[in-house]
Amino acid sequence: MKSMSYYVIGVDMGATNIVCVLSSKDGEIITRDTSKTLGSEGKEKTISQIINSAKNVLKEGEKLGVSAKSILGMGIGGPGPINSDDGIIYIAPNIPGWINTSLAEELGNELELPVFLENDANAAALGEWWLGAGKGVNNLVLLTLGTGIGGGIIINGEILYGAGHVAGEIGHMVIKEGGLLCSCGNHGCLEAYTSAKSVVNRTLAEIKEGRKTLLTDIVDNRMEKITCKLVFDTAKKGDGLCKKIVEDTAKYLGTGIINIVNIINPQMVILGGGMAKAGDFFFDPIKEYVKEHAFNESTKGVKIVPAALGSNAGAIGAVAFVLKKKGLLNKADCFDSNIIELSET
Ligand SMILES: [Zn+2]
């Protein structure tokens, strides 16, 4: 019997971009296709975009010697809540008309491949666990700091789903009773304090209160031009208000991480998304705050680190999900041997 190469398609179906990769079973990206998500044009448009992307990478792969019969399946990281057992996206907040869609079945029929669906934050966590910042770490938590806050929890090398497949909604952990209004309708959620949108809103509120900042000159008094990145960049220049906003954000995020660390006792907390690119300037105050306030025993050995896979995390994680579903990817404690070789029969 001869060992044969197998390949997997991984898709990250984001609100902004669709990222599709053709990957080897070791996570080597053979080819990649990206497009802007045309979510506002409705569900059918998004589905046809995913199909086109998959067909593009298959065609490109074929040119590079990847035959159709060596494709094991396709994984998709999509907006949650998702039940990965039945392949249904219950609702996609940014795509009109997307309710109870059997996406896995629909795509599977069209592409004649087994298709597996997973929540996007879980997929990103799986990607970082397999080949990213968490390689070799079997207990970790990923937080994606973007427009919203995504969360994925890996326990003993497996995604934590909970009873109704909605575990890991870390963004909606309440950190301040009766606090700021969150996108979910509740008050005081972590997301209401630490998302990119919240950073901008908290800055605008302070400016409205009369706090002086370099920002007003930088954007020429056009407040709609203030972005989260601009607040962070201006803080690095020493601006008092922006520094306070970044420090507050670090404390709020630190509070969320303390709760995670105290409850789950992970080896690693990985921070992804735009804000996580700010470096030590942002990570140092978070680490300090966590060390100071978390239960002493829980913080021993826990690392707080930036994500490593960037915009590929979701797609790579979707590949990992297929390998897991097929029983080909196990605990990462020994990376070289964690892939069980398939044999040609
Ligand atoms: Zn919330």
Side-chain angles (χ1 to χ4, degrees), residues 214 218 230 232-239 243 281:
L214 291 172
I218 293 171
L230 190 59
F232 271 70
D233 288 348
T234 312
K236 280 183 183 168
K237 287 180 189 157
D239 180 74
K243 268 167 72 180
F281 173 72

Side-chain angles (χ1 to χ4, degrees), residues 171-172 182-186 189 191:
H172 303 291
C182 179
S183 62
C184 73
N186 188 33
C189 295
E191 181 169 308

Side-chain angles (χ1 to χ4, degrees), residues 215-246:
L215 277 177
T216 42
D217 281 345
I218 293 171
V219 298
D220 207 11
N221 282 308
R222 293 170 67 188
M223 298 307 165
E224 73 278 5
K225 286 195 153 181
I226 294 177
T227 61
C228 178
K229 186 175 184 302
L230 190 59
V231 173
F232 271 70
D233 288 348
T234 312
K236 280 183 183 168
K237 287 180 189 157
D239 180 74
L241 173 63
C242 292
K243 268 167 72 180
K244 178 187 178 292
I245 295 288
V246 171

